[in-house]
Amino acid sequence: MAKIGVFICHCGENIASKVDCTKLAAAIGEHPGVAVSVEYKYFCSEPGQESVKKAIRDNNLTGVIIAACSPRMHEATFRKVCAEAGLNPYLCEIANIREQCSWVHNDNDMATEKAMDITRSMIEKVKRNNKLQPIEVPVTRRALVIGGGVAGIQAALDIANAGQEVVLVEREPSLGGHMAQLSETFPTLDCSQCILTPRMVEVAQHPKIRLLTYAEVEHVDGFIGNFKVKIRMKSRYVNRDVCTGCGDCMVKCPVKKISSEFDCGLGKRTAIYTPFAQSVPNIPVIDKASCIYFKNGKCKTCMKSCQINAINFDMQDEFIDLDIGAIVVATGFQIQNTAGYGEYGYGKYPDVITGLQFERLATASGPTSGKILRPSDGKEPETVVFIQCAGSRDPSKGVRYCSKICCMYTAKHAMLYAHKVHHGKSHVFYMDIRAAGKGYDEFTRRTIEEDDASYVRGRVSKVWLENGKLMVRGVDTLLGRPVTIPADMVVLATAMVPQPNAKEFAKTIGIAYDEYGYYNEAHLKLRPVESSSAGVFLAGACQSPKDIPDSIAQASASASKVLALFSKETLEREPVVASTNEATCAGCWGCVLACPYNAIEQKDILDRSGRIIKRVASVNPGLCQGCGTCVTFCRSNSIDLAGFTEKQIFAEVMAL
Amino acid sequence: MITQEKYRSKAKKLLADGSVKMVIGYSPGSTADRRRPLFVRSFEEADQLVLDSNCIANLSGYLVTEGLLSDEKRVAIFLRPEGIRSLNILAAESQLNVDQIIIFGFDSIGREVSSLSGEHAGEFSELISSIKENPPEKSSEPLLYQIEQMNPQERFAFWKEEFSRCIKCYACRQSCPMCYCRRCIVDSNQPQWVNTSSHTLGNFEWNIVRAFHLAGRCVGCGNCDRSCPVNIPLRLINARMAAEVLESFDHFAGMSTTQEPVLASFKKEDSETFIL
Ligand SMILES: Cc1cc2nc3c(=O)[nH]c(=O)nc-3n(C[C@H](O)[C@H](O)[C@H](O)COP(=O)(O)OP(=O)(O)OC[C@H]3O[C@@H](n4cnc5c(N)ncnc54)[C@H](O)[C@@H]3O)c2cc1C
Ligand code: SF4
Ligand code: SF4
Ligand code: SF4
Ligand code: SF4
């Protein structure tokens, strides 16, 4: 006999203001099999939880319904309550009468009716629930951090400093990411290199960190605690183990005029190169596309110059297979290609530059040794116009979202400019100043008040060249009139966008992403660092535009999730997994193909003499994530999902 | 007649030299224009094989009869182009090994029967591509055209009327080569998703479930339609589903023995973000 306890929560006013909980409790009390039907203001509170436990014990309940908020909020809470009261936690179900009822309805009577339907339907389900036992799987205590920007560096150091092994994979020849390109960083104006390079070195020297630069993740298989990862080590043509980083090869290389990616085209590099002088590791790579030897088979100047024979033109890509327990994705961002904004003249006028190019100009170790000089003629600009939101918050041509960092770095740029060019004048076109962060508003105020940047609220419609000046035409919306400013340099605060291969890469690791290609968190508020796949965590700007403090905070949060996972030898997984009916499976393998986690295998059914009688589908419970895709595919209903069995769902539907 | 003789002698030869254990073809039926399946196991029986324009049933479903192919011996079978397509699907869905099948391919225009060149599944791909590229004229199926012109209410009323005659004999399923499930969803009663009684709801559930199970798989052979004792124009529902998958996914059922099932395959290029 079913003895179901139904606990109806008011959620303060959230539910009770729309749903008549007293009426609901009375009606549900009449439902067959219901032994207890009670209401309370907050069942998630301590006394609320205690009352549920007491009711379970006093009435020997066989199932529990919490009619309250979404299961994503408190399913885990109440399952734990049941377990503590001696009831199998999987005999507890949530009837969501908040998000799916009180929050979305105005009519109280109808909302109450609907709450009854939802609750009844869950009662019918819970009557058919089975006692499930969590699945135990072993955990490989080795983390993979993908991306060696500041976020990846932080995550790797945190995990390694706690004593766990880390493999850090960076696809560029050096660690550092965008932060290595920055001059000084808001809101404190620390020199970016000075705070970052020591950490890069620490990563390279850490006994617990295996650093793989110029490497890419090729393939990820498996599941939380047990990933199998294949890494491609791109051939550097320089032997990492023997190169001392003396740099003789770079001095000798005859190809010297390659536009430097690291300097955003403002500097030059050789064909054998390190991106910047402080690169970690300080081992060059040969850029095959520019190298004369790879073009016509002659040169090898670098090889001759190398005292220790570290250069090898026959080097091939190598592959490394790794067992990994958890993954931190920290692949960062790119800045948007501004070519689409013809009106700003980017690409047409050399003195219209991006914010990142300005960073390179302002950096002591940059192409101009920290002097703000125009790319066109090397002169100091007397007037600089900064254009904020050059791509952000622009649904028609750019991206709809706010890139979050541009208000701050533009203020920083205006400030750096004022510090470096004392007689210079800066103008900033802005839509709003978004400076929410510790010390941020003070920082932008300083730019305006102490460094005399004149802020113009409005957008720029056109930039053109006239008598050697860049004419910037915009509108001052506060004064309600058009303005034209003759400038020597224009700096665009280009939008932060996901890496161009972000979507493709998400598919390689099996995580979800949004319309732009930013990686989705499992829950925007409650699980902001977990990805949609268990055991894969997110850090930094690959998830959404972020500045350095945010990136670091999230990286440390991810590291703590990884460490929590590594704190035990095995981990418990939800037993919501699929299983096949071997008697009825027709072996069409549609499910094998449909399963997004490759959790279904073909299994041979043998007779006593070992002959194959038939082949059927078989689910590996360690791999199955319980998504249910296979269930919907199987025509003959030969697959069922524990916790969401056909019988349960059917009963749920029929109760409506 | 020439084609019939050609295949008769081919059947004899293959049976005589043991290259096949059986030839599945047609024999005269209960009336002059009906044909009945014939399972020829010996040289002598081959003379009973008939091939003319009345041979319309798609015989490929017999190939998946439990145990027929489990001895790994070969079987020859008479198939029209749709039959070859359904054979491809059966192979793609791992229900048989096409290396065991010798195809006696044929087609007919009016009363004229001609043979198709090739005898292994892979050899017909050009033919199938040309069928995909040159679909039959709309006028060949006036009723389908008529139904497509109806508004949703009229269409619903039309099918309600048609389905009301269904007696749940499951002849459509039994005759369909794609309905090879060991246990059909209607026979699954824990829970009973599809109501077995012949009332409006049950009939709708059944016929619509079957239509969905054939989406991207139906080759339009017409077996279901012809076997329905109450003449429900079942081919039209399936033709509609075939048109949908062709339009939405460029999927033409039975192109090859390795074609992936349209409803189970995802491509990384698919636009949906939930595809990981
Ligand atoms: C012009 C400008 C000025 C800025 N100024 C400031 C400032 O003053 N203060 C501040 O707080 N923030 C500033 N920022 C923001 C700051 O740059 C970012 O917050 C920070 O770089 C984010 O770090 P990250 O590690 O998430 O990403 P990134 O720095 O982009 O690093 C990502 C790393 O991952 C690597 N990677 C990418 N894909 C793969 C892959 N598939 N496999 C392996 N490796 C991969 C990349 O090569 C890169 O090294 C500024 C940004 C810009 C554009
Ligand atoms: S989809 Fe169903 S019938 Fe086909 S292999 Fe999977 S379990 Fe078996
Ligand atoms: S529920 Fe089915 S499709 Fe989903 S992961 Fe498990 S086996 Fe794969
Ligand atoms: S053959 Fe016709 S009557 Fe029989 S089940 Fe199918 S549709 Fe219904
Ligand atoms: S109707 Fe569906 S479940 Fe039934 S036999 Fe046909 S394909 Fe299988």
Side-chain angles (χ1 to χ4, degrees):
Chain A
M1 243 312 266
K3 274 194 259 167
I4 312 294
V6 182
F7 303 89
I8 298 159
C9 184
H10 292 188
C11 192
E13 281 292 293
N14 274 303
I15 294 171
S17 66
K18 284 282 167 305
V19 173
D20 183 338
C21 293
T22 311
K23 199 166 155 196
L24 177 62
I28 293 299
E30 303 293 308
H31 192 90
V34 172
V36 176
S37 176
V38 288
E39 54 177 317
Y40 186 65
K41 214 167 182 68
Y42 292 109
F43 270 114
C44 59
S45 67
E46 165 93 51
Q49 295 191 19
E50 286 308 316
S51 74
V52 175
K53 284 185 205 165
K54 185 167 184 313
I56 294 173
R57 291 197 193 99
D58 290 353
N59 302 283
N60 285 326
L61 295 181
T62 60
V64 164
I65 300 289
I66 310 289
C69 53
S70 158
R72 295 192 78 159
M73 281 299 291
H74 280 316
E75 186 176 71
T77 315
F78 289 107
R79 283 195 169 155
K80 203 163 143 261
V81 166
C82 289
E84 282 163 11
L87 187 69
N88 182 291
Y90 295 93
L91 299 179
C92 168
E93 292 284 351
I94 308 287
N96 180 352
I97 58 167
R98 192 180 78 175
E99 284 84 344
Q100 292 177 355
C101 188
S102 69
W103 275 3
V104 291
H105 294 297
N106 283 325
D107 184 304
N108 288 35
D109 290 338
M110 283 169 75
T112 306
E113 283 293 313
K114 181 170 168 186
M116 285 178 193
D117 280 344
I118 294 174
T119 312
R120 284 197 185 107
S121 155
M122 291 319 288
I123 294 171
E124 287 310 309
K125 180 183 184 203
V126 85
K127 284 183 185 170
R128 290 157 183 85
N129 275 20
N130 298 311
K131 293 181 186 167
L132 302 178
Q133 301 306 331
I135 300 172
E136 291 238 329
V137 281
V139 176
T140 307
R141 289 160 160 177
R142 182 180 302 114
L144 171 69
V145 176
I146 310 172
V150 64
I153 290 173
Q154 181 71 32
L157 286 175
D158 281 356
I159 299 168
N161 286 337
Q164 302 292 353
E165 269 181 62
V166 180
V167 180
L168 175 59
V169 174
E170 164 59 52
R171 69 173 174 199
E172 299 298 328
S174 170
L175 283 176
H178 282 94
M179 190 172 162
Q181 290 173 283
L182 305 181
S183 50
E184 292 166 20
T185 52
F186 63 76
T188 46
L189 295 190
D190 317 73
C191 148
S192 190
Q193 290 273 354
C194 317
I195 53 178
L196 183 67
T197 359
R199 293 190 164 208
M200 290 161 52
V201 175
E202 194 184 339
V203 166
Q205 294 177 346
H206 204 293
K208 287 282 183 186
I209 301 180
R210 181 168 176 198
L211 173 61
L212 305 174
T213 53
Y214 214 44
E216 282 189 51
V217 174
E218 281 281 304
H219 192 73
V220 176
D221 246 345
F223 53 96
I224 180 168
N226 299 274
F227 294 105
K228 301 247 178 266
V229 180
K230 190 185 268 311
I231 311 280
R232 174 196 290 271
M233 300 295 290
K234 297 183 276 187
S235 45
R236 279 184 122 98
Y237 305 105
V238 176
N239 185 336
R240 312 174 192 238
D241 301 329
V242 301
C243 171
T244 57
C246 69
D248 286 352
C249 51
M250 297 191 266
V251 177
K252 294 280 161 51
C253 178
V255 201
K256 303 211 186 290
K257 292 266 164 70
I258 307 162
S259 152
S260 155
E261 296 83 357
F262 186 79
D263 282 332
C264 305
L266 297 173
K268 303 273 179 258
R269 64 163 171 86
T270 43
I272 183 163
Y273 74 107
T274 54
F276 52 106
Q278 301 74 19
S279 290
V280 172
N282 188 20
I283 299 170
V285 298
I286 296 180
D287 163 14
K288 213 173 160 181
S290 316
C291 166
I292 305 181
Y293 174 76
F294 281 109
K295 275 192 203 147
N296 58 26
K298 285 196 223 56
C299 184
K300 293 203 176 179
T301 310
C302 52
M303 197 167 137
K304 289 168 213 146
S305 75
C306 180
Q307 310 274 329
I308 41 164
N309 281 330
I311 298 173
N312 170 6
F313 284 92
D314 299 325
M315 206 176 259
Q316 299 292 325
D317 288 3
E318 278 168 37
F319 292 92
I320 303 179
D321 290 306
L322 296 170
D323 287 321
I324 293 293
I327 301 177
V328 177
V329 183
T331 50
F333 68 102
Q334 280 304 336
I335 57 166
Q336 195 186 27
N337 181 355
T338 327
Y341 286 86
E343 65 268 34
Y344 295 153
Y346 184 78
K348 190 159 141 210
Y349 309 126
D351 296 332
V352 179
I353 61 172
T354 64
L356 203 52
Q357 287 177 313
F358 191 90
E359 294 284 343
R360 295 311 300 148
L361 292 180
T363 309
S365 59
T368 56
S369 305
K371 295 208 179 66
I372 309 295
L373 302 174
R374 313 208 305 172
S376 62
D377 53 10
K379 288 202 185 116
E380 217 166 47
E382 314 259 301
T383 311
V384 179
V385 170
F386 294 91
I387 304 178
Q388 291 195 186
C389 296
S392 306
R393 304 174 67 198
D394 178 1
S396 59
K397 278 164 94 183
V399 292
R400 189 171 293 128
Y401 54 83
C402 164
S403 292
K404 202 174 171 185
I405 55 165
C406 323
C407 288
M408 288 303 295
Y409 77 60
T410 300
K412 173 182 80 176
H413 290 171
M415 194 182 276
L416 292 176
Y417 174 62
H419 295 177
K420 288 178 189 252
V421 182
H422 298 296
H423 57 284
K425 175 69 194 161
S426 58
H427 303 266
V428 178
F429 281 91
Y430 72 103
M431 290 218 270
D432 300 289
I433 300 176
R434 297 187 166 171
K438 190 167 179 176
Y440 282 19
D441 201 50
E442 297 90 316
F443 185 83
T444 53
R445 298 303 322 163
R446 238 169 73 202
T447 305
I448 299 170
E449 289 157 14
E450 294 172 24
D451 292 315
D452 193 33
S454 82
Y455 270 65
V456 185
R457 186 170 210 254
R459 305 211 67 165
V460 170
S461 57
K462 201 169 161 49
V463 177
W464 72 96
L465 197 64
E466 202 175 296
N467 301 328
K469 288 276 180 189
L470 289 162
M471 307 300 285
V472 183
R473 185 165 183 83
V475 60
D476 185 331
T477 52
L478 294 181
L479 296 176
R481 60 169 192 217
V483 283
T484 305
I485 300 170
D488 301 312
M489 187 190 256
V490 173
V491 182
L492 306 177
T494 34
M496 230 174 169
V497 293
Q499 296 281 3
N501 71 335
K503 293 184 181 177
E504 214 31 59
F505 192 64
K507 288 167 181 170
T508 305
I509 32 186
I511 56 174
Y513 49 88
D514 68 12
E515 58 183 305
Y516 306 104
Y518 284 118
Y519 298 152
N520 278 349
E521 54 296 310
H523 188 286
L524 202 54
K525 284 175 270 181
L526 298 176
R527 299 172 66 202
V529 306
E530 288 97 330
S531 76
S532 55
S533 288
V536 182
F537 305 95
L538 306 174
C542 61
Q543 183 209 15
S544 65
K546 283 197 185 70
D547 55 19
I548 297 164
D550 282 1
S551 300
I552 290 193
Q554 199 190 12
S556 291
S558 279
S560 80
K561 294 282 171 189
V562 171
L563 293 171
L565 180 64
F566 289 180
S567 65
K568 296 197 207 89
E569 268 169 27
T570 57
L571 65 105
E572 280 193 353
R573 285 221 11 236
E574 282 276 290
V576 176
V577 291
S579 59
T580 56
N581 180 340
E582 294 180 353
T584 59
C585 166
C588 70
W589 314 135
C591 54
V592 175
L593 209 67
C595 173
Y597 300 95
N598 294 328
I600 311 185
E601 297 148 12
Q602 302 182 6
K603 173 178 166 189
D604 294 340
I605 306 278
L606 308 174
D607 66 10
R608 257 185 248 169
S609 59
R611 257 191 37 201
I612 297 179
I613 310 174
K614 65 170 185 173
R615 289 219 154 107
V616 294
S618 167
V619 177
N620 178 336
L623 292 176
C624 173
Q625 299 290 314
C627 69
T629 309
C630 56
V631 180
T632 56
F633 178 80
C634 183
R635 288 180 286 272
S636 60
N637 282 17
S638 301
I639 315 187
D640 222 351
L641 188 61
F644 295 89
T645 61
E646 302 250 339
K647 272 190 207 170
Q648 288 170 294
I649 302 220
F650 190 78
E652 227 179 300
V653 175
M654 294 315 276
L656 288 177
Chain B
M1 272 321 216
I2 308 170
T3 315
Q4 172 178 302
E5 286 321 310
K6 178 179 143 189
Y7 279 138
R8 265 192 199 171
S9 47
K10 190 166 178 188
K12 284 183 191 166
K13 183 174 161 289
L14 294 179
L15 287 162
D17 68 16
S19 10
V20 300
K21 68 167 180 178
M22 181 190 282
V23 176
I24 306 180
Y26 305 90
S27 68
S30 46
T31 64
D33 52 7
R34 285 188 176 197
R35 298 292 171 262
R36 167 182 294 168
L38 181 69
F39 303 88
V40 182
R41 288 185 180 76
S42 69
F43 178 86
E44 299 75 29
E45 289 168 325
D47 279 325
Q48 296 169 32
L49 285 166
V50 172
L51 187 64
D52 58 23
S53 59
N54 289 327
C55 299
I56 35 185
N58 177 359
L59 304 177
S60 63
Y62 293 113
L63 293 171
V64 290
T65 310
E66 195 92 48
L68 176 66
L69 297 171
S70 57
D71 56 6
E72 290 174 14
K73 290 198 177 126
R74 297 206 281 185
V75 169
I77 182 165
F78 283 79
L79 293 175
R80 285 178 177 266
E82 305 84 70
I84 300 170
R85 285 168 60 202
S86 55
L87 177 71
N88 280 344
I89 303 178
L90 291 172
E93 295 182 357
S94 306
Q95 299 305 305
L96 49 74
N97 172 1
V98 268
D99 297 339
Q100 282 176 265
I101 313 298
I102 307 275
I103 298 168
F104 287 4
F106 71 100
D107 205 351
S108 63
I109 302 172
R111 304 197 66 78
E112 202 57 48
V113 176
S114 57
S115 63
L116 303 175
S117 66
E119 60 175 32
H120 297 292
E123 295 166 58
F124 299 89
S125 55
E126 261 174 51
L127 170 77
I128 300 173
S129 301
S130 78
I131 303 175
K132 178 186 174 195
E133 300 313 326
N134 307 295
E137 298 283 319
K138 283 236 172 207
S139 55
S140 64
E141 213 36 290
L143 188 53
L144 181 59
Y145 183 70
Q146 212 179 314
I147 298 171
E148 281 175 356
Q149 300 308 307
M150 295 178 182
N151 66 32
Q153 291 78 23
E154 291 167 341
R155 202 154 42 227
F156 190 80
F158 172 86
W159 284 113
K160 195 171 161 190
E161 170 63 29
E162 292 291 333
F163 292 156
S164 71
R165 299 197 302 278
C166 175
I167 52 171
K168 292 274 177 71
C169 67
Y170 306 133
C172 47
R173 172 186 81 186
Q174 294 316 109
S175 65
C176 174
M178 291 302 115
C179 277
Y180 56 70
C181 296
R182 282 167 201 272
R183 178 199 59 188
C184 175
I185 181 157
V186 272
D187 299 328
S188 145
N189 56 7
Q190 292 284 344
Q192 185 89 54
W193 285 107
V194 180
N195 215 305
T196 47
S197 358
S198 302
H199 50 40
T200 313
L201 177 66
N203 289 352
F204 258 97
E205 282 174 346
W206 162 238
N207 284 289
I208 287 171
V209 155
R210 208 183 86 87
F212 272 99
H213 286 184
L214 292 172
R217 305 170 73 232
C218 172
V219 295
C221 68
N223 273 13
C224 52
D225 197 285
R226 284 187 300 273
S227 62
C228 180
V230 294
N231 298 322
I232 301 175
L234 295 166
R235 65 182 188 289
L236 301 183
I237 312 177
N238 298 327
R240 179 73 224 153
M241 295 304 282
E244 288 293 340
V245 292
L246 184 62
E247 195 192 285
S248 308
F249 308 107
D250 190 32
H251 182 100
F252 187 68
M255 289 291 283
S256 75
T257 55
T258 51
Q259 187 181 35
E260 293 187 341
V262 68
L263 296 185
S265 50
F266 308 94
K267 294 196 191 78
K268 288 197 171 179
E269 306 80 79
D270 287 345
S271 57
E272 287 75 11
T273 53
F274 65 83
I275 295 171
L276 298 180

